[in-house]
Amino acid sequence: MQGLTAHHFVTESAPLAEGETALVHSAAGGVGRMVTQLLKLRGVRVIGLVSRPEKAPVARAAGADEVLISSGGDFVDRVKGLTGGEGVHAVFDGGGASTFWPSIEVLRRVGTLVYYGPLIGDIPTVRMFDLPKSVKITYAVFADHIHSRELLLRHAADLFGKIRVGRLRVDITERYPLAAAQQAHIDIESRRTTGKLLLDPRQVRRDEHTD
């Protein structure tokens, strides 16, 4: 699901060209890491945002050219500095209201905000006349962007083809037994995790072992 979501973002929502620049929120997370890798395969310059310093190496390993530490909307000046004041061609933002307007602010003219939150916070309210620089906003719903079997097969074939030949890497960083699903959600919401977290029905919690 994350791979298909990221693939749609990069090929349909904001199909950037070689040499263009993107800002990727949560670049060390599951979707963010996929988006970063797929953008790099297209020759896009990627500025990755991560919430903690220890996540920066993960984002760089995914291909991010520059990595910024930010847990809110304090990245605007730094992104503008990295782009000579021009801003980025696209922002991939899975945050909430706290990052929505800063993401709009760092877009260059006619840039695209690919908004797929809110993972954190509330859904922002937008008035059309408040949007600057003729920017575009897309909110991708999975049922809409993979709405036919043909699309599913086409996106999946390209995605898994890249994985098979090693051009796209899927990092599984933690496995949980089904009984620990609550803990998995707590860990995700804490923003301390990176990569893919899996619920594995074959595993059992330590306190479930019996003699």
Side-chain angles (χ1 to χ4, degrees):
M1 292 289 286
Q2 287 183 339
L4 289 171
T5 297
H7 192 272
H8 172 79
F9 290 166
V10 172
T11 61
E12 302 287 346
S13 297
L16 300 185
E18 183 176 358
E20 294 184 323
T21 303
L23 175 67
V24 178
H25 287 254
S26 302
V31 174
R33 212 188 300 197
M34 286 277 190
V35 168
T36 297
Q37 291 182 78
L38 290 169
L39 287 171
K40 292 307 299 178
L41 290 176
R42 298 174 71 94
V44 175
R45 177 192 178 196
V46 175
I47 302 171
L49 282 181
V50 297
S51 59
R52 300 172 183 274
E54 59 267 27
K55 292 186 177 184
V58 179
R60 291 192 184 94
D65 299 281
E66 292 95 6
V67 180
L68 304 177
I69 314 299
S70 174
S71 59
D74 61 350
F75 54 85
V76 173
D77 289 341
R78 288 177 289 167
V79 172
K80 288 187 175 180
L82 289 171
T83 57
E86 291 289 322
V88 298
H89 296 86
V91 177
F92 298 84
D93 186 352
S98 65
T99 59
F100 182 84
W101 289 110
S103 290
I104 292 286
E105 191 173 347
V106 299
L107 286 171
R108 63 177 61 201
R109 294 186 185 278
V110 202
T112 302
L113 172 59
V114 180
Y115 188 73
Y116 59 98
L119 300 180
I120 301 168
D122 299 322
I123 298 174
T125 299
V126 180
R127 296 191 309 168
M128 297 299 290
F129 290 117
D130 290 337
L131 298 178
K133 299 177 287 187
S134 298
V135 300
K136 304 179 287 279
I137 301 174
T138 173
Y139 181 77
V141 178
F142 189 84
D144 293 329
H145 67 243
I146 306 291
H147 57 81
S148 69
R149 178 172 174 77
E150 178 186 0
L151 272 177
L152 175 63
L153 293 177
R154 177 157 56 87
H155 282 287
D158 187 47
L159 184 70
F160 284 101
K162 288 179 169 61
I163 293 172
R164 276 194 296 269
V165 299
R167 302 184 70 200
L168 182 64
R169 191 177 69 252
V170 181
D171 296 308
I172 300 172
T173 55
E174 191 68 49
R175 293 178 184 268
Y176 300 80
L178 286 178
Q182 181 180 10
Q183 185 60 50
H185 282 281
I186 292 172
D187 291 347
I188 290 173
E189 292 168 9
S190 74
R191 305 195 75 182
R192 295 179 183 275
T193 63
T194 63
K196 294 287 295 178
L197 310 183
L198 296 186
L199 293 177
D200 190 341
R202 297 169 300 179
Q203 291 192 13
V204 296
R205 292 195 315 202
R206 292 178 181 177
D207 58 5
E208 291 180 333
H209 285 291
T210 58
D211 293 332

